[in-house]
Amino acid sequence: MKVLLKWLGIILAGVIVLLLIFAGYVYFKSASMLSKTYTHIQGKNIYVPNDSATVARGEHLVHCIAGCAGCHNPDLGGYSQDMMPFMMFNTSNITFGKGGLPADYTIEDLDLIVRHAVKRDKTGVFIMPSYHYNRMADKDVAAIYAYLKTATKVDKESPALELGPIGRMVLSQGGLIALPEVTDHSYKPPLEVAPSATPQYGKYLAEVACIGCHGPKYSGGPLFQGDPSWPPASNLSTTLKKYTQESFQAFLLTGIRPDGTIVDTVAMPIRDLKHADSLEVSALWQYLSALPREETGKATWLKEAGIEE
Ligand code: HEC
Ligand code: HEC
């Protein structure tokens, strides 16, 4: 009996030592991944007009098409959700109030985060979908900057996003990824895309508004770096064949599908997208309803970036 207890003790001690080694490995590997900097990537110095049409365009992008307010809170003062031990999900206060963007935050800084996923301190951002915002036209990035400059200031500290032990383990095993790694930094975005009720403009809008969640080929599947409790995104290349332009428009306003069922209107951001105007709905419909059919979940952002086979 004594001998057996002794051996059990040795095995238990061995298991504890192995667990400590693994915890140490996870801690140091994740710490080095979190502090990685991207100093070679630069934002672009774009001319920023400040006329009212530009500011209105920026406001519409932030609160509707690009979905910034969906993460940064409708007042843009930042949003926090305690998801520990996974993470403290914190998004920045993106107004120029106290605790928000500093007065000397430039258009280059904004371009760097929006189209390259790199923060002003040169570390990579997590969760924010810059891997598809990189398609945004120069003029639209400038419009967002012009709007943020004039938006109502919110005085609120915004703590940084923080990974807990589970988040760090997921990160060290490749389940979370700093988004500069997935973003095509050599993509040449257009200087300007003028709004028109055409499939070309629909493609542009969909690349800014929909592909982050519905996937690079609109084939849906689990959300990339999304909240794991959310449902997978629908395969737009097949489901939209059951819609008409009218039912598509009604869906964007309400989240109700043509068969009368309702989608999860948080995961599918109806709160923002219901503000799309009729020209935008028409352009999106023309482009999305004609997509070639793709197998559900086949195209993913990790495959697109060459990180997964
Ligand atoms: C899915 C969520 C999400 C969306 C959508 C999103 N962001 Fe962010 N954003 C974040 C997170 C997370 C951070 C970083 C928080 C941190 O690391 O502390 C961030 C950081 C920022 C910062 C601060 C960067 C810095 O230099 O420190 C700015 C500015 C910003 N976002 C602007 C935008 C704009 C503009 C849009 C829309 C075009 C947008 N965000 C859309 C999640 C999001
Ligand atoms: C933040 C992620 C996100 C964004 C951005 C997003 N979607 Fe979705 N969408 C979803 C998810 C998740 C579902 C599935 C929800 C469910 O099953 O309850 C969905 C469902 C849908 C459906 C329902 C299809 C069906 O009948 O099953 C349509 C249509 C749709 N989205 C269109 C769009 C369009 C168009 C855009 C861009 C203008 C867009 N979505 C942007 C996440 C998103």
Side-chain angles (χ1 to χ4, degrees):
M1 188 62 191
K2 256 193 179 158
V3 177
L4 181 67
L5 279 181
K6 186 175 159 198
W7 275 106
L8 275 178
I10 291 174
I11 291 171
L12 193 64
V15 168
I16 290 174
V17 168
L18 283 178
L19 280 176
L20 284 175
I21 292 175
F22 181 64
Y25 159 79
V26 163
Y27 183 79
F28 285 106
K29 173 135 196 228
S30 59
S32 93
M33 291 168 93
L34 288 169
S35 60
K36 180 169 177 187
T37 54
Y38 299 85
T39 43
H40 60 290
I41 301 173
Q42 245 97 52
K44 186 169 173 185
N45 182 2
I46 311 165
Y47 168 67
V48 182
N50 60 4
D51 58 282
S52 58
T54 301
V55 171
R57 170 77 179 168
E59 178 170 13
H60 185 59
L61 287 165
V62 166
H63 292 277
C64 173
I65 299 299
C68 319
C71 271
H72 288 277
N73 217 44
D75 71 359
L76 309 182
Y79 171 82
S80 295
Q81 192 181 341
D82 186 344
M83 297 168 80
M84 281 299 184
F86 184 55
M87 68 166 74
M88 278 300 296
F89 177 64
N90 292 321
T91 68
S92 318
N93 175 351
I94 59 170
T95 72
F96 282 84
K98 248 183 252 142
L101 301 176
D104 62 351
Y105 197 86
T106 62
I107 178 74
E108 284 101 323
D109 293 330
L110 185 74
D111 185 41
L112 190 61
I113 181 75
V114 172
R115 293 194 298 194
H116 298 281
V118 177
K119 293 192 280 184
R120 200 189 200 209
D121 66 7
K122 297 291 182 185
T123 60
V125 79
F126 288 83
I127 320 287
M128 175 162 158
S130 304
Y131 52 86
H132 73 100
Y133 288 157
N134 69 341
R135 324 285 174 100
M136 209 184 279
D138 283 12
K139 207 172 169 197
D140 282 340
V141 178
I144 291 179
Y145 187 79
Y147 165 63
L148 292 180
K149 272 285 183 190
T150 56
T152 308
K153 293 186 169 88
V154 176
D155 295 331
K156 191 173 133 206
E157 290 302 325
S158 47
L161 183 144
E162 196 190 317
L163 294 185
I166 303 286
R168 282 175 174 262
M169 194 160 93
V170 172
L171 174 71
S172 71
Q173 303 307 304
L176 256 179
I177 190 161
L179 294 169
E181 306 286 342
V182 191
T183 304
D184 178 1
H185 302 284
S186 63
Y187 188 89
K188 288 266 171 295
L191 297 179
E192 174 180 1
V193 184
S196 62
T198 59
Q200 289 75 24
Y201 188 56
K203 176 173 193 286
Y204 175 69
L205 287 175
E207 289 185 349
V208 174
C210 323
I211 50 173
C213 294
H214 286 279
K217 301 226 162 33
Y218 306 91
S219 61
L223 295 180
F224 176 53
Q225 311 282 290
D227 188 327
S229 68
W230 286 4
S234 314
N235 180 350
L236 296 185
S237 78
T238 54
T239 50
L240 283 184
K241 311 279 186 242
K242 297 178 214 138
Y243 286 64
T244 59
Q245 182 165 338
E246 290 66 40
S247 59
F248 176 68
Q249 178 149 24
F251 171 81
L252 286 182
L253 276 174
T254 60
I256 301 173
R257 299 186 182 93
D259 67 5
T261 60
I262 185 159
V263 288
D264 178 326
T265 54
V266 175
M268 166 62 199
I270 296 294
R271 181 179 74 185
D272 303 326
L273 292 173
K274 69 173 181 211
H275 300 297
D277 64 30
S278 53
L279 178 144
E280 288 164 340
V281 173
S282 162
L284 279 168
W285 172 252
Q286 290 179 48
Y287 175 64
L288 293 172
S289 62
L291 286 171
R293 286 176 191 268
E294 300 281 346
E295 195 184 310
T296 301
K298 192 151 180 236
T300 70
W301 287 106
L302 287 178
K303 285 186 200 160
E304 191 80 356
I307 293 169
E308 243 173 28
E309 285 285 294

